[in-house]
Amino acid sequence: MLEIPESTTIAKQLNEAVLGKTICNVVANSSPHKFAFYHGDPAYYKTLLSGQVIGESVGIGAMIEIFAGDCRIVFGDGVNLHYYNDSVKAPSKHQLLLELNDGSILVSSVQMYGAVLAFKEETNDNKYYLIAKEKPSPLNDNFNIIYFNTLRTKESDKLSVKAFLATQQRIPGIGNGVLQDILFHARIHPKRKMGPITEKEYINMFHAVKETLAEMTRLGGRDTEKDLFGSAGGYKTVLSKNTVWKPCPVCGTAIQKASYLGGVIYWCPVCQPLAE
Ligand SMILES: [Zn+2]
């Protein structure tokens, strides 16, 4: 799943691989998928995008946005985006395929669910997209401790730490993936309630959000995810499916896992105790 480090990494790779190329052909919805979401009728994508020149790409929260002439192409967090320099190598199943003027192609496929949106600029009223565009990114300076303090309210103190950081688009682009290492570095168990989190712990959480995401992005995303060219990211996850039951790098205790709030959480029982 795309989260901030991956959307940022893939956008950067798009700027190296496809910027300035012209879209020659478009195939949308060739493999119908129940949970692939389009902006209007995907049959219209060919008319909309053919002939457009690819401009800059940006990561917005967990989404990737490509500027293409007066259009935008947006991929949501459940979409795999892959670049091939030769169309022969392309997979046969996909939800959107863009052929470029030098024979290379961009292929996107939806895993469990995901949005593949193409639209004329300013016409997308998708709520997730608009919120993600509007809120500060933890990678930027305007996401500072003053801003982070405004996120915590009486209402949010009723939530668990995981729900606080990774739901309701409170911080777009933080999901159940990056959350694990953020909370490891903050030394906070994901099931703890926000209410009793002390000011010091909250400041630790802020630094862990900023530093963990910056490091993951600097290294090209997490090792559990693929980049635009199909390679795993260079950031070695401390807590993930790759490390469960292995010794914690700080104290040596076996890393635990459990299902919680619609995803698997991982933690070290010593470094991140649940009981106060
Ligand atoms: Zn530990």
Side-chain angles (χ1 to χ4, degrees), residues 184 248-253 268-272:
F184 177 79
C248 163
V250 171
C251 74
T253 310
C268 168
V270 173
C271 296
Q272 299 164 272

Side-chain angles (χ1 to χ4, degrees), residues 259-273:
S259 291
Y260 181 57
L261 298 180
V264 178
I265 54 168
Y266 303 89
W267 71 95
C268 168
V270 173
C271 296
Q272 299 164 272

Side-chain angles (χ1 to χ4, degrees), residues 188-204:
I188 296 172
H189 193 291
K191 281 190 184 177
R192 282 184 58 195
K193 286 278 176 282
M194 280 298 294
I197 292 287
T198 64
E199 200 181 325
K200 185 162 177 277
E201 285 178 314
Y202 194 67
I203 292 170
N204 287 345

Side-chain angles (χ1 to χ4, degrees), residues 160-166 176-192 194 197 201 204-205 208-209 212 239 265-268 271-272:
S160 67
V161 172
K162 169 174 168 171
F164 175 76
L165 285 177
N176 192 55
V178 300
L179 175 81
Q180 311 301 327
D181 279 15
I182 289 172
L183 291 180
F184 177 79
H185 292 306
R187 300 283 185 264
I188 296 172
H189 193 291
K191 281 190 184 177
R192 282 184 58 195
M194 280 298 294
I197 292 287
E201 285 178 314
N204 287 345
M205 207 191 291
V209 166
T212 307
L239 300 183
I265 54 168
Y266 303 89
W267 71 95
C268 168
C271 296
Q272 299 164 272

Side-chain angles (χ1 to χ4, degrees), residues 23 48-49 52-56 66-73:
I23 300 170
L48 190 69
L49 298 175
Q52 301 279 13
V53 176
I54 294 181
E56 198 195 357
I66 301 177
F67 289 61
D70 61 352
C71 296
R72 302 281 181 270
I73 309 166

